[in-house]
Amino acid sequence: MWIATLRHGTTSSPPRCVAGHHHHVLWASIAQKSSVNIRRHLQTQERTNDDIPFRKHFKDNAKRRKHNASNDQSGVSGQSVDNALLDRWQLTVGLEIHAQLNTPHKLFSGALTSPNEQPNTHVGLFDFALPGSQPKFQKGTLLPAIRAALALGCHIERQSQFDRKHYFYADQPSGYQITQYYRPFATQGSIALYDDDGIAPEDGTLARIGIKQIQLEQDTAKTVLQPPSDAMLDFNRVSQPLIEIITLPHIHHPQTAAACVKKIQAVLQAVNAVTTGMELGGLRADINVSVRRKGSGRPGTTLSEDQNFQGLGQRTEIKNLSSIKAVEDAIIAERNRQILVLENGSTIKGETRGWTLGASGTVKLRGKEGEVDYRYMPDPDLGALLISDSMIAKLSETLPQLPDRTIAELVQHHGLTTKDAKTLVELDDGRRLDYFDDVCEEIAAIHNQWQQKPGATSGDKRKSSVIVANWVIHELGGLLNTSESIFDPDQVSAGEMSLIIAMLEVDYITGSSAKQLFAKKFHGDTRDIRTIVQDENLALVHLSDDEYIEMAVGLLDSHPVMASQIKDKGQIGKLGFFIGQMMRKGRGKIVAQKAEATLRQLLEIPSK
């Protein structure tokens, strides 16, 4: 077992490693200061603070916190800004999105990518930076990266290179990260955001965000804090292949920034370029935020026209945002902070800041490192990355359908609303859409088998698709939410759901019985659908017209005031109360549409 220990007060010194006599599983435990913060330092220090008296150490920490608070300008952090003040300032946002590529091997070693395996069980020699080990580029990692770049409209560079980005931190054992700073493999892309993607109303119906570059790089080790003063390092994640997508500063509203991250995530998932989305840690976002007083750019230009982005305000960077909501909320908080700082006559400092979901403001983490600090240099152990025209052509031809096209087809061919179509595309990394397609295919087969709809028209198929979408999104979604479980297409198979819906379509069961039947299967009932219908007496026994009328008259007589409000005052919305009462009294034998028709007839209300 390997144990890496940092003494208290010497976080800038490299860890001391001690070799034990255990098996290959690697653990690293880092003893830190009580604040549990691991700070990056670009220079090591020989002098230690081991012998500083506790009282002095305590006072120094208090002074340091006070100093940081002063630099942080925390007096304005978390305060709101009124609309009149916002109108005087222009927000500018650029995104850096880090996405884990869907590959079986790491970027520079033959070790397997293993996000869900036991810690430190898939670590190559180079991943742990053992002396004498060298990086070996795994060609297969390039395929999903190129798919992502093509899907985002990028130009693929036929020759690119890897560079070293130097910093000292426990999660990067080599002391540098391999990235593509100078010559990335993809450049000059863009992504179109429409009003139904959720962009800010101020951006109109279309906002096109430029993508400066996409670069390959390696991930760092995963740090798991162990309060009060330890952290465990899992090197399974070291050298996990990443792409970093860097947008141009074309974004001017927090809502549009969140929509951009969400759209890029959907595109990456559609082309099978990434492992998971933000919810499961497969994608993280850094945001660069600045503000400038309106009218302070180059004369005669808007920000979008100013291609050199001259005159932008001093930017700050907010790191490691792991949800769409965090992106929007963090931008709002940092925008407000910067505006208030500038309105108070102070200046914005270039720095890296942090954000916690639910917080009212951003907090300073450290001063912003620059290009000189990282000492970028070409990696001498890795040659040029060459990409052939034939590879680009092949991947372009086989590129999966992108979300915008899928949504358009769902609306046009299946009759779904744009909202429902987008929801299907985005839910569960696209697996809910696959489930929808499977259920639709099964229902079509059932219709043909039952011959209930010989020569079914396109309208019939569209109607079935709308019903399926409602069940896949809302009925299934409701059960997933209440049970706090993760979507599993086998929990209720596509065949089982299609049979339930088909029975509902031909009035073999009622809507309430269908929901009851679906819930039983969802919660693990192993009986087949027909057996449950028979055992639970769920089959619809059709009542006669006279029986419908008798039940409706009895309910209307029991609630004369409400009946009068519907008939005489036109309060049609209250009709739903009587329909619900008939459904309850009928115990699965009442069809809602026929109950409504009966009530309308008795109350002399025109049919819909």
Side-chain angles (χ1 to χ4, degrees), residues 318-358:
I318 305 173
K319 302 284 287 186
N320 291 327
L321 300 175
S322 57
S323 72
I324 305 298
K325 178 175 174 55
V327 170
E328 183 173 359
D329 289 350
I331 292 173
I332 292 172
E334 180 60 13
R335 176 201 64 188
N336 293 351
R337 185 191 73 86
Q338 291 189 19
I339 289 175
L340 291 174
V341 167
L342 294 171
E343 286 284 347
N344 289 337
S346 298
T347 59
I348 301 299
K349 295 178 174 62
E351 57 195 14
T352 300
R353 302 182 68 84
W355 166 263
T356 301
L357 194 61

Side-chain angles (χ1 to χ4, degrees), residues 412-432:
Q412 181 179 355
H413 300 308
H414 291 276
L416 273 59
T417 64
T418 301
K419 180 180 179 181
D420 282 350
K422 286 182 65 64
T423 300
L424 279 176
V425 169
E426 294 166 358
L427 280 173
D428 302 308
D429 296 345
R431 291 183 298 128
R432 198 83 71 94

